[in-house]
Amino acid sequence: MIALGKTGAQRQNQRLPGRKPVAGLNEADEQVGVLNAEGQKLVIIKFVDTKDMGKTSSEKCKEVVAAQGGSILYVYAKAFKGCAAYLPIVTSDTNALKNDPDIEYVEDDRVISLDPATTGEDATSWELDRIEQCSLPLDGTQTPLNATGIKVYIVDSGITGSHDDFEGVIDSSSNCHVDVIEEASPNPLFDGNGHGTHVASAACGNEYGVARDCDLCSVKVFGASGGSAWAVIIAAVEHVMNNCADGERCVANLSLGGSFSAPMNTAVKNAVADGVTVVVAAGKLGE
């Protein structure tokens, strides 16, 4: 499944982007979890996919969360049936939700972070040569893949869409772009961190991209600080699944890391089953 990992020390006390719908997202701690300004804990609720609840995920989430005095952040329908919500810590630690026959499990959310970008190397280094050549010795050349007609979703900190490296591969009017972390002033084609632009360039940039002529899509899940939560990433996967139409070829790139998350793994599994190729960063931290 999804190979993601960070040490507990790296995950503690990271500031997350405060905005609506994840309003007041405040501090994340390895032991406590992700809390808002009111001290409520962020949890991910997964319903039993095979069970006919007689109501939609949205209706069920409203019923469950309201009964516990919480607030809904995201509702999921395609990644899996469920939602992310802030609940009072006392409530989230009881069996009140787990005893509901429609609920498969409830998982405390955790902070996640961007996978460190590789810097200081010649852009024409051996990686670009090796990635498209199975046999050795390397021939010293790069042969980019033809990605014409393929949507490549960069689930990251946004993409600087005005950069020359993306001329012809980013349609700023496309509905494939989305800012998952900012509802008031969404701007998926602005990158305050730089990581997403770096990843997009490596994937499908005009000069050094592994592939060329793709349709680049920015799915913004990190702000300038580079911190987020699994609930946000699952919402991004939900967007990709909804946006990738039948018959389209779609790739989602997630260069990020965090602790194990059962609902995140389920979301990725269901996205793959739905026809989305999911690429995840791995091996850069020696784990």
Side-chain angles (χ1 to χ4, degrees):
M1 284 307 298
I2 197 166
L4 304 174
K6 293 277 186 180
T7 66
Q10 287 173 301
R11 287 194 299 270
Q12 287 184 8
N13 299 321
Q14 296 193 48
R15 288 283 179 179
L16 301 179
R19 76 333 166 218
K20 191 178 179 180
V22 186
L25 202 58
N26 189 18
E27 287 259 332
D29 182 89
E30 180 62 15
Q31 301 302 318
V32 177
V34 181
L35 306 179
N36 66 4
E38 289 72 42
Q40 294 181 319
K41 180 183 292 188
L42 182 57
V43 301
I44 299 171
I45 303 169
K46 185 182 182 300
F47 301 133
V48 180
D49 287 327
T50 57
K51 184 178 177 61
D52 183 2
M53 299 185 294
K55 56 193 70 176
T56 66
S57 291
S58 178
E59 291 169 339
K60 180 64 180 179
C61 282
K62 289 178 181 178
E63 173 188 299
V64 170
V65 175
Q68 304 303 326
S71 58
I72 297 172
L73 302 184
Y74 299 109
V75 174
Y76 312 121
K78 292 205 72 173
F80 54 79
K81 292 180 183 178
C83 58
Y86 279 125
L87 298 178
I89 290 181
V90 174
T91 299
S92 65
D93 288 339
T94 69
N95 291 322
L97 296 176
K98 299 175 184 178
N99 289 337
D100 188 318
D102 291 332
I103 295 177
E104 183 176 344
Y105 59 77
V106 179
E107 181 175 287
D108 290 348
D109 204 352
R110 290 287 184 265
V111 65
I112 63 170
S113 57
L114 289 165
D115 187 63
T118 301
T119 59
E121 294 185 14
D122 183 353
T124 59
S125 61
W126 70 269
E127 292 99 328
L128 294 176
D129 189 5
R130 186 70 175 100
I131 198 170
E132 48 79 49
Q133 185 177 334
C134 293
S135 59
L136 297 175
L138 298 179
D139 60 13
T141 63
Q142 180 199 7
T143 305
L145 299 172
N146 182 356
T148 302
I150 299 177
K151 278 185 173 180
V152 178
Y153 298 84
I154 306 298
V155 181
D156 215 287
S157 61
I159 302 173
T160 303
S162 60
H163 197 287
D164 292 345
D165 204 35
F166 305 124
E167 184 176 354
V169 295
I170 287 183
D171 177 2
S172 60
S173 65
S174 174
N175 65 1
C176 75
H177 308 298
V178 66
D179 191 332
V180 183
I181 61 167
E182 180 60 62
E183 183 181 61
S185 301
N187 194 357
L189 295 180
F190 170 78
D191 183 2
N193 179 280
H195 189 276
T197 301
H198 160 83
V199 171
S201 180
C204 207
N206 288 325
E207 189 166 1
Y208 297 114
V210 171
R212 303 292 166 85
D213 300 320
C214 75
D215 296 323
L216 267 179
C217 302
S218 176
V219 183
K220 190 171 183 176
V221 294
F222 293 96
S225 68
S228 194
W230 284 126
V232 181
I233 310 304
I234 295 170
V237 173
E238 179 92 1
H239 166 74
V240 173
M241 294 176 71
N242 284 321
N243 188 260
C244 182
D246 291 342
E248 286 188 318
R249 294 182 294 169
C250 301
V251 177
N253 185 92
L254 290 76
S255 294
L256 47 87
S259 57
F260 173 80
S261 168
M264 183 66 215
N265 276 6
T266 297
V268 170
K269 179 180 178 180
N270 289 338
V272 171
D274 205 45
V276 178
T277 298
V278 179
V279 181
V280 182
K284 294 186 69 176
L285 297 176
E287 298 179 356

